[in-house]
């Protein structure tokens, strides 16, 4: 009898210790990766990174101006493609599709797209843009990134609009507003913080994506703003420079990772603080 | 004459209302346009999934025609010079690296989720949950860079110990033999495990926290220990969603590209030892895609992508289905 109690206690204590240890493992690796990125990233910081373009192989010096501009353009273009589609699709789900069978099928497929491996989307963009055009382009890269962020925006928009109370909609309809006005002037505004959170999360997700760019935007040694040509970008710089034999290139890879991680963290923190406001508003 | 007169008069009488009617129809047209645009966007969001499969099948067609399905799946040759391509080493590499990741990540995620949901004091709950979620925010390329430059050299110090300890065991020992290089199948599996940990543990934590308090408290009132409540009450209640979360992590691991490419060593030859270099479908795509010179080479690479899509699609489908089952049951009970 007593033995049973001892055994149960023992199992309980051991399991609790293990739970604590597993948590420590996760946090340990997070800190290790962050510490490495910070240390090498700060060491690789250089003013020239922001003012000069990437030096040719073997040459001294630093420069990532073309990659910064390229990355920002790629992200901007993805937002231009992804936000309208994601926002409208999420709006259709919440305001027109409701809980119907069609809407639930769309939600189901969207959930599947939510965890699509980025490399597959890259192959898709290659097949429909790079193949027919005959060369790599920033446009194809942005399309791939947009496809990766659309499911995130669709889902948050759908969820956030569903949180808006029906009383608000009915009040607007009672005033004679047609559906589109109810949506654009009333429910979008009520759900604004939540929708922006979704966009920020989507942006954070695609910021460091490298695999799809490998088949689409590729990389460019030179500065360009032409979206129909290959474009320099930070993830590809990390990929190509990290494995190079030149120490200045390796340092630039770390600097690029540091800045990418910093950008993603800022986006995540912004999204988090906005998401906190959603509940206040409700 | 008189009929014309009345017509004119009627026309005049209706004139003041005319612009109003026009504005109303315009507004109604705008309304239906908005509806149509929303419907079209929803259609686009869904169509991408099918378009992906169709487009990639189309691009891999030359290779499918040349090698067939079985021939491609079971052939271990990968030789661009003689144009002989087979997927076997990459399929095995993908499955093995993901299996290692799952074996490591599932118990760790389970422990972390239980720690946050059940035993952590509330002041530490949020920082820990946030820290684990930050792991998901780090781009995979940074994992790769860290894995290659920092983790691999450190792991190379541990590897002799691994091969000394496990390498001597008959049968299993074969898996743990080889020179300590730090890169290889096992390293890739470990990095993958760290990457998918936040995905699995956040699903587990969410569903554990959704277990009704009445259930847990009645178990505690019966004298159950924390472990017994977790294992006998919470886990059975949330089983489908937990398995869904595990499959979600598996889907991530199978398709992960950059982190694996950096640390797996990229060898197209299959070897029995986990300490030896290997390759996965995504890693060979990342490495060779821009170097593919012949049409057959390129389409064979895309064919590999098609196989990957088939596998991950099945895994993701299962994950979403399982995750939805708990959600619908919760909805029914409240």
């Amino acid at each position: 009898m007593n033995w049973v109690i001892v055994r149960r206690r023992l199992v309980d204590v051991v399991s609790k210790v293990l739970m604590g240890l597993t948590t420590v493992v996760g946090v340990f690796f997070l800190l290790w990766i962050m510490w490495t990125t910070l240390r090498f990233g700060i060491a690789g910081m250089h003013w020239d990174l922001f003012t000069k373009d990437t030096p040719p192989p073997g040459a001294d010096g630093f420069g990532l101006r073309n990659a910064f501009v390229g990355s920002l353009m790629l992200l901007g273009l993805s937002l231009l493609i992804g936000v309208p589609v994601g926002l409208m699709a999420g709006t259709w789900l919440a305001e027109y599709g409701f809980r119907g069978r069609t809407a639930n099928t769309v939600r189901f497929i969207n959930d599947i797209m939510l965890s699509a491996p980025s490399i597959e989307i890259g192959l898709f963009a290659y097949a429909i843009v790079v193949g027919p055009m005959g060369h790599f382009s920033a446009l194809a890269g942005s399309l791939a990134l947009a496809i990766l962020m659309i499911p995130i925006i669709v889902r948050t928009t759908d969820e956030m609009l569903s949180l808006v109370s029906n009383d608000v909609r009915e009040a607007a309809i009672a005033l004679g507003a047609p559906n589109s006005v109810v949506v654009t002037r009333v429910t979008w505004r009520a759900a604004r913080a939540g929708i922006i959170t979704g966009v920020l999360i989507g942006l954070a997700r695609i910021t460091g994506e490298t695999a799809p760019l490998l088949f689409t935007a590729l990389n460019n040694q030179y500065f360009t703003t032409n979206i129909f040509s290959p474009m320099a970008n930070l993830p590809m710089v990390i990929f190509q420079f990290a494995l190079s034999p030149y120490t200045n290139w390796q340092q630039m890879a770390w600097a690029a990772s540091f800045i990418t991680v910093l950008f993603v963290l800022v986006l995540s923190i912004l999204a988090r603080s906005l998401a906190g406001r959603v509940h206040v508003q409700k | 004459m008189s009929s014309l007169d009345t017509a004119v008069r009627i026309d005049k009488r209706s004139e003041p209302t005319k612009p109003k009617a026009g504005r109303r129809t315009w507004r109604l047209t705008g309304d239906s346009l908005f509806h149509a645009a929303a419907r079209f966007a929803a259609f686009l969001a869904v169509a991408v999934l099918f378009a992906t499969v169709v487009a990639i099948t189309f691009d891999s067609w030359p290779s499918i025609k040349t090698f067939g399905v079985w021939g491609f799946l079971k052939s271990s040759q990968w030789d661009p010079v003689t144009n002989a391509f087979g997927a076997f080493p990459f399929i095995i590499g993908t499955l093995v690296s993901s299996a290692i990741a799952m074996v490591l990540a599932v118990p760790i995620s389970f422990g972390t989720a239980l720690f946050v949901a059940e035993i952590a004091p509330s002041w530490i709950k949020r920082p820990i949950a946030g820290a684990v979620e930050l792991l998901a925010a780090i781009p995979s390329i940074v994992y790769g860079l860290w894995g290659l430059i920092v983790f691999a050299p450190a792991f190379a110090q541990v590897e002799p110990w691994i091969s000394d300890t496990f390498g001597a065991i008959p049968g299993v020992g074969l898996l743990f033999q080889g020179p300590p290089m730090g890169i290889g199948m096992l390293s890739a599996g470990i990095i993958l495990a760290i990457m998918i940990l936040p995905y699995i543990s956040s699903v587990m934590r969410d569903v554990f926290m959704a277990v009704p308090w009445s259930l847990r408290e009645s178990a505690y009132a019966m004298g159950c220990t924390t472990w017994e409540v977790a294992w006998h009450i919470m886990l059975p209640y949330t089983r489908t969603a937990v398995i869904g979360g595990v499959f979600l992590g598996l889907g991530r691991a199978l398709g992960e590209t950059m982190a694996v490419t950096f640390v797996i060593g990229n060898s197209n030859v299959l070897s029995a030892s986990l300490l030896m270099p290997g390759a996965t479908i995504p890693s060979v795509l990342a490495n060779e895609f821009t170097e593919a010179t012949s049409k057959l080479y390129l389409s064979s690479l895309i064919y590999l992508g098609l196989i990957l899509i088939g596998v991950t699609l099945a895994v993701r489908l299962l994950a979403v289905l399982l995750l939805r089952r708990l959600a619908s049951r919760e909805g029914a009970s409240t």
Side-chain angles (χ1 to χ4, degrees):
Chain A
M1 184 61 200
N2 214 6
W3 187 81
V4 172
I5 293 175
V6 170
R7 197 197 55 172
R8 287 177 57 197
R9 272 280 161 79
L10 207 67
V11 168
D12 190 49
V13 169
V14 169
S15 73
K16 274 181 179 164
V17 169
L18 284 178
M19 284 177 211
L21 277 179
T22 54
T23 312
V24 169
V25 169
V27 175
F28 167 73
F29 277 110
L30 174 79
L31 293 179
W32 192 3
I33 295 170
M34 294 296 233
W35 166 241
T36 310
T37 317
L38 189 76
R39 194 162 57 107
F40 286 103
I42 298 277
M45 275 300 137
H46 210 281
W47 185 244
D48 285 351
L49 287 177
F50 304 96
T51 56
K52 289 188 179 147
D53 293 340
T54 43
D60 283 336
F62 299 91
L64 286 174
R65 183 181 69 122
N66 48 345
F68 283 124
V69 173
S71 264
L72 285 177
M73 279 193 67
L74 279 169
L75 291 180
L77 210 56
S78 321
L79 281 176
L80 271 179
I81 305 170
V83 170
V85 176
L87 179 65
M88 288 305 271
T91 304
W92 184 82
L93 284 175
E95 303 284 342
Y96 295 99
F98 306 112
R99 294 272 134 203
R101 192 187 289 173
T102 322
N104 277 336
T105 312
V106 172
R107 283 191 188 101
F108 182 69
I109 292 175
N110 191 63
D111 278 359
I112 291 175
M113 288 301 293
L114 208 55
S115 52
S118 54
I119 191 160
E120 293 172 5
I121 305 300
L123 283 177
F124 173 61
Y126 175 85
I128 65 163
V129 183
V130 180
M133 274 175 64
H135 55 85
F136 295 98
S137 68
L139 184 68
S142 297
L143 182 73
L145 295 179
I147 293 174
L148 281 170
M149 84 188 291
I150 284 172
I152 300 169
I153 301 179
V154 170
R155 182 155 186 190
T156 40
T157 306
D158 178 25
E159 280 174 357
M160 291 304 148
L161 287 177
S162 306
L163 286 178
V164 175
S165 150
N166 260 335
D167 297 348
V168 180
R169 283 193 194 92
E170 281 162 12
I173 293 168
L175 287 172
N179 254 333
S180 57
V181 176
V182 175
V183 171
T184 50
R185 300 272 177 85
V186 181
T187 50
W188 274 1
R189 286 191 186 182
R192 190 168 42 195
I195 294 173
I196 295 174
T197 306
V199 174
L200 290 179
I201 295 172
L203 201 59
R205 156 99 204 263
I206 63 170
T207 296
E209 276 297 350
T210 317
L213 298 177
L214 217 52
F215 313 142
T216 52
L218 214 60
N219 201 353
N220 197 335
Q221 189 80 49
Y222 306 104
F223 181 88
T224 181
T225 53
N226 179 6
I227 59 167
F228 298 108
S229 72
M231 197 180 265
N233 56 80
L234 291 177
M236 284 300 289
V237 163
I238 303 175
F239 182 49
Q240 292 182 339
F241 285 17
L243 303 171
S244 76
Y246 313 112
T247 38
N248 63 329
W249 274 23
Q250 289 168 6
Q251 277 185 348
M252 276 190 270
W254 280 110
S257 328
F258 174 65
I259 287 168
T260 310
V261 169
L262 204 66
F263 187 66
V264 173
L265 287 188
V266 168
L267 282 176
S268 308
I269 291 165
L270 264 178
R272 230 160 233 262
S273 61
L274 262 177
R277 268 172 46 189
V278 171
H279 292 283
V280 179
Q281 220 172 38
K282 210 173 67 168
Chain B
M1 184 75 178
S2 67
S3 67
L4 188 75
D5 212 345
T6 44
V8 170
R9 212 183 299 149
I10 287 167
D11 211 357
K12 264 187 183 162
R13 202 177 285 165
S14 63
E15 214 168 40
T17 59
K18 218 177 172 182
K20 252 190 194 166
R23 215 162 91 201
R24 176 177 288 172
T25 45
W26 183 85
R27 271 170 77 176
L28 285 178
T29 321
D31 205 46
S32 52
L33 269 179
F34 185 81
H35 188 172
R39 198 162 20 180
F40 182 64
F43 165 77
L44 272 185
V46 169
V48 170
L49 178 69
F50 302 98
T52 308
V53 177
V54 172
I56 292 176
T57 310
F58 183 79
D59 271 12
S60 53
W61 196 249
S63 180
I64 298 176
K65 235 170 44 187
T66 314
F67 302 111
V69 177
W70 263 122
F72 191 68
L73 288 180
K74 67 177 202 285
S75 163
S76 311
Q77 273 203 317
W78 188 264
D79 191 356
V81 180
T82 57
N83 261 334
F85 299 103
F88 191 70
F90 309 114
I91 294 175
I92 297 299
T94 309
L95 294 179
V96 169
S97 59
S98 295
I100 298 170
M102 296 314 283
V103 166
L104 296 172
V106 170
I108 295 180
S109 309
F110 185 62
T112 310
L114 279 179
F115 181 80
V116 173
E118 279 299 298
I119 59 174
S122 54
W123 61 269
I124 206 175
K125 247 178 211 183
R126 275 184 70 114
I128 284 186
V132 173
E133 244 140 71
L134 272 189
L135 272 176
I138 296 175
S140 62
I141 183 104
V142 176
Y143 276 96
L145 191 59
W146 171 81
L148 181 71
I149 311 282
V150 180
F151 178 77
F155 192 60
Q157 308 290 316
V158 186
E159 272 180 344
W161 177 81
I162 293 179
S163 48
D164 284 350
T165 317
F166 300 103
I169 306 169
V172 198
L174 212 60
L175 291 173
F176 300 101
Q177 282 165 0
M181 289 181 287
I183 53 174
M185 207 64 108
L186 191 58
S187 310
I190 293 173
I191 304 257
L192 274 178
I194 305 169
M195 291 190 66
I196 59 174
L197 199 151
Y199 294 100
I200 305 179
S201 81
S202 71
V203 170
M204 285 184 178
R205 193 194 62 223
D206 286 349
V207 297
F208 287 160
M209 286 181 142
V211 172
W213 278 106
S214 54
L215 262 183
R216 285 190 238 182
E217 277 167 1
S218 26
Y220 280 121
M222 298 281 289
C224 284
T225 59
T226 308
W227 172 250
E228 285 161 353
V229 171
W231 191 254
H232 296 292
I233 308 293
M234 290 166 61
L235 195 60
Y237 184 82
T238 55
R239 195 182 322 142
T240 51
V242 165
I243 298 172
V246 169
F247 272 93
L248 210 62
L250 180 61
R252 291 258 165 203
L254 289 169
E256 176 46 45
T257 312
M258 299 325 292
V260 173
T261 308
F262 272 98
V263 293
I264 202 161
N266 303 309
S267 156
N268 296 350
V269 182
L270 205 59
S271 61
S273 171
L274 297 179
L275 301 185
M276 293 291 279
T280 67
I281 292 178
S283 79
V284 71
L285 271 167
N287 268 315
E288 300 187 7
F289 197 84
T290 44
E291 292 163 10
T293 39
S294 75
K295 203 169 153 64
L296 192 65
Y297 189 6
L298 190 67
S299 88
S300 297
L301 282 170
I302 298 175
Y303 194 3
L304 285 178
L306 185 67
I307 295 171
L308 183 71
I309 288 189
V311 176
T312 57
L313 205 58
V315 169
R316 279 143 59 200
L317 199 82
L318 212 62
V320 176
L321 273 175
L322 288 169
L323 284 170
R324 293 200 149 205
R325 262 184 41 196
L326 185 86
S328 65
R329 194 175 68 182
E330 252 174 42
S333 66
T334 44

